[in-house]
Amino acid sequence: MNAPQALSRWTRPESSRVPFWAYTDAHLYQRELETIFYGEHWCYVGLAVEVPNAGDFKLSWVGERQVILVRDRVAPKDRATDHGIRVVENRCAHRGVRFCQQPHGNTRSFVCPYHQWTYKLNGDLAGLPFKDGVPATDEAGNACVNGGMPADFDIKQHGLAKLRVAVLHGLVFATYSDSAPSFEEYIGPAVMPWLDRIFKGRELTLLGYNRQRIPGNWKLMMENIKDPYHPGLLHTWFVTFGLWRADQKSRMVMDEHGRHAVMISRRNEGGENKTVTQGVTSFKQDMALNDTRLLDVVPEPWWTIDDPSHPGQAITPTVTMITLFPSLIIQQQVNSLSTRHIVPRGESEFDFVWTHFGFKDDSDEMTRRRLRQSNLFGPAGFVSADDGEVIELSQRGFAQAGESGETLCELGGTGTGGTEHMVTETLIRSMYDYWRKVMGV
Amino acid sequence: MNERLMLQLEIDQLNAAYCAALDERRFEEWPEFFTDGATYKVQARENHERKLPLALIALESKGMMKDRVYGVTQTIYHAPYYTRHVVSPARLLGEERGLVRTQCNYAIFRTRPGDASEVYNVGRYIDELVRTEAGLKFASRLCVYDSEMVLNSLIYPI
């Protein structure tokens, strides 16, 4: 397939119909990597708490490029201004070897196994064998030097690819772009309060990982979490137990570009409400839990904040689903907290990495509660396993239609504004409005 | 020795019956392999080895297992698939305070309608068994899987 020809292949001015080739065109996907993942966007890499000590590292991804998240040694005098977090590409500057094969660990330096080029934690090249050649004796019996790098070889010019790093409240992001705006600017003032609400001033604890490989285009995962229409329909638990459904007080918030979003809502009592449960076959009127600890929800003080849209009024969401374009979802669903990292692998597959966390001042009881509620989420979760399944089935549908089809996202109209309800696909339209501009299609 | 052989046979038969119940989709029978207060966990090897508490599935009672079965059969949407469990003979690791500790390896193949079979989940069962009037039951079953990626979703118990 050829890359799409500009505009003529997008059928209408609005972004409410997304052509199937947006998900299936391999060349377009390569351009997405360059323009979006390696371009002027900030990509999630991990949590600072995953590398708590100097020398700690873990492997992560920016697009399809494997990177190393590492905590550098920082001199005491610099500690007020340097968080020490570095992100470097896992690719030797000599012959391109993906040199680091340990998923996580602690090290003093990085050494490529092939020719032992050695890098500091910040990615600078520290040294390489035979740089100055090997002393020998020539045929005339005089001392000489064999080999070695050219006289003008500058060790400073041959470090690892270093990414710009931003650390916000323990969340680590990186970009290849020197021209990308600051991270704060990138997120924007509408979305930032919702990151502050969860993370600001709190130390995180790492609870663990779940990883799944989903045979679908990476954007489908972003769409899924920008789609407040489906949870009360696809996910029985949400509608039956009132965790997420159309009769809840909700709000859809976006940054000025429409690329990031927050779905904010407040749990209600669940049970039957004919306006939203009638005809919804996933609603189970008689469903009750044998062990109610699975939904042992305890409100936490930090849930309540001053409403960014109505200063002076308090707001207490039970759920916020934050999508940070292009590759991060942050979930607060009652007491369960996680980051979900999208790692694309070609146009029709991505890995989805869930990192569950709590807070350092959590009681043991709260930690147990977070872990129990994690049964709802992840690749086996009561309200998440089916998301991966429908994404796979979406991709299959796109593939069989070829060039001709398009998705329809017109719940709540064809526009791209924020709303005070969830009966809308506006966040999906807004993301594609931005995506079209960036991709020039 | 005879006693030990009998125990080995009993445990291997229990594992065979457990896998048959799952592969034959008799999911309502699955919680009955456990005691009332039993725990059942499916956990990634990386979490297990790093002592990170998160599990893929973490159930703390027979009641939660019944809730999982309800979820599997009534609420979670997923494309249909069959499983085939292949389990190694159990290693008997000891018996303390009425609990028999055993481990065995498992490999689970997934077959979707119209598709070839694929390796779905590979790991080991780390078990604690207790003798009851109804025979051996699991007081705890921890499934630690090597597979670094779940192939999209994991719906049925393993």
Side-chain angles (χ1 to χ4, degrees), chain A residues 104 207-213 236 284 287 289-291 351 356 372 374-375 379-380 386 388-389 392, chain B residues 46-47 50 52-54 58 60-61 63-64 66-68 70 74 77 79 112 148-150 152-154:
Chain A
H104 67 98
L207 298 180
Y209 304 98
N210 281 320
R211 301 172 192 272
Q212 63 189 130
R213 181 159 291 167
T236 304
K284 308 275 185 199
M287 181 175 167
L289 293 173
N290 289 291
D291 191 329
D351 288 344
H356 284 248
R372 237 175 237 144
S374 72
N375 281 297
D386 20 26
E389 289 287 306
E392 180 171 357
Chain B
E46 69 175 324
N47 292 334
R50 294 176 65 180
L52 295 168
L54 186 73
E60 297 166 66
S61 67
M64 280 194 199
K66 289 178 177 168
D67 291 331
R68 179 74 197 176
Y70 186 85
Q74 305 294 321
Y77 177 78
R112 288 165 154 177
E148 293 265 327
M149 286 289 161
V150 173
N152 199 343
S153 67
L154 192 143

Side-chain angles (χ1 to χ4, degrees), chain A residues 55-276:
Chain A
D56 284 351
F57 69 88
K58 71 157 280 183
L59 298 181
S60 184
W61 299 91
V62 171
E64 290 198 7
R65 293 180 182 166
Q66 193 172 58
V67 297
I68 307 171
L69 166 63
V70 55
R71 190 179 289 267
D72 199 0
R73 284 177 285 274
V74 178
K77 67 178 172 56
D78 297 327
R79 282 180 194 157
T81 52
D82 183 358
H83 47 63
I85 301 283
R86 318 280 181 243
V87 178
V88 295
E89 201 174 312
N90 187 11
R91 176 173 53 81
C92 183
H94 178 215
R95 301 281 284 275
V97 170
R98 188 180 272 179
F99 55 87
C100 183
Q101 290 298 314
Q102 293 300 318
H104 67 98
N106 183 279
T107 188
R108 296 178 58 81
S109 58
F110 297 110
V111 182
C112 178
Y114 202 177
H115 304 88
Q116 293 176 28
W117 282 40
T118 300
Y119 301 93
K120 298 177 189 173
L121 297 177
N122 67 5
D124 285 347
L125 181 58
L128 53 119
F130 311 141
K131 173 172 163 291
D132 300 322
V134 177
T137 308
D138 67 16
E139 285 167 12
N142 300 317
C144 68
V145 173
N146 288 339
M149 298 303 268
D152 63 352
F153 179 82
D154 181 1
I155 208 166
K156 291 189 194 67
Q157 302 301 314
H158 298 279
L160 301 173
K162 300 176 184 179
L163 284 74
R164 274 174 76 196
V165 175
V167 181
L168 179 86
H169 312 324
L171 296 159
V172 182
F173 297 83
T175 179
Y176 279 94
S177 168
D178 292 329
S179 53
S182 73
F183 182 72
E184 285 70 17
E185 229 178 300
Y186 180 71
I187 294 302
V191 172
M192 191 61 88
W194 300 101
L195 292 175
D196 290 343
R197 172 176 171 272
I198 299 176
F199 295 100
K200 192 174 185 181
R202 293 202 187 90
E203 272 193 72
L204 306 185
T205 52
L206 180 64
L207 298 180
Y209 304 98
N210 281 320
R211 301 172 192 272
Q212 63 189 130
R213 181 159 291 167
I214 300 178
N217 184 270
W218 65 275
K219 294 188 292 301
L220 288 168
M221 196 70 245
M222 274 290 165
E223 280 180 34
N224 180 267
I225 307 298
K226 289 173 184 286
D227 168 7
Y229 184 16
H230 85 277
L233 298 166
L234 176 65
H235 306 309
T236 304
W237 273 60
F238 272 147
V239 60
T240 304
F241 295 125
L243 286 163
W244 183 275
R245 58 189 222 179
D247 55 349
Q248 282 168 207
K249 186 79 188 138
S250 308
R251 182 186 299 163
M252 304 297 124
V253 170
M254 279 172 272
D255 73 317
E256 62 173 330
H257 303 281
R259 57 191 175 190
H260 316 306
V262 194
M263 300 196 306
I264 302 154
S265 191
R266 187 183 168 82
R267 185 186 178 196
N268 64 14
E269 291 309 308
E272 187 163 29
N273 169 356
K274 287 222 162 66
T275 59
V276 293

Side-chain angles (χ1 to χ4, degrees), chain A residues 42-47 50 60-62 171-174 326-328 339-342 353 355:
Chain A
W42 288 90
C43 292
Y44 175 73
V45 175
L47 300 173
E50 295 178 272
S60 184
W61 299 91
V62 171
L171 296 159
V172 182
F173 297 83
S327 55
L328 179 65
T339 64
R340 311 178 185 177
H341 185 188
I342 297 170
V353 181
T355 306

Side-chain angles (χ1 to χ4, degrees), chain A residues 377-399:
Chain A
F377 307 100
F382 286 119
V383 297
S384 298
D386 20 26
D387 286 327
E389 289 287 306
V390 295
I391 285 173
E392 180 171 357
L393 301 179
S394 297
Q395 190 74 22
R396 295 244 172 111
F398 305 155

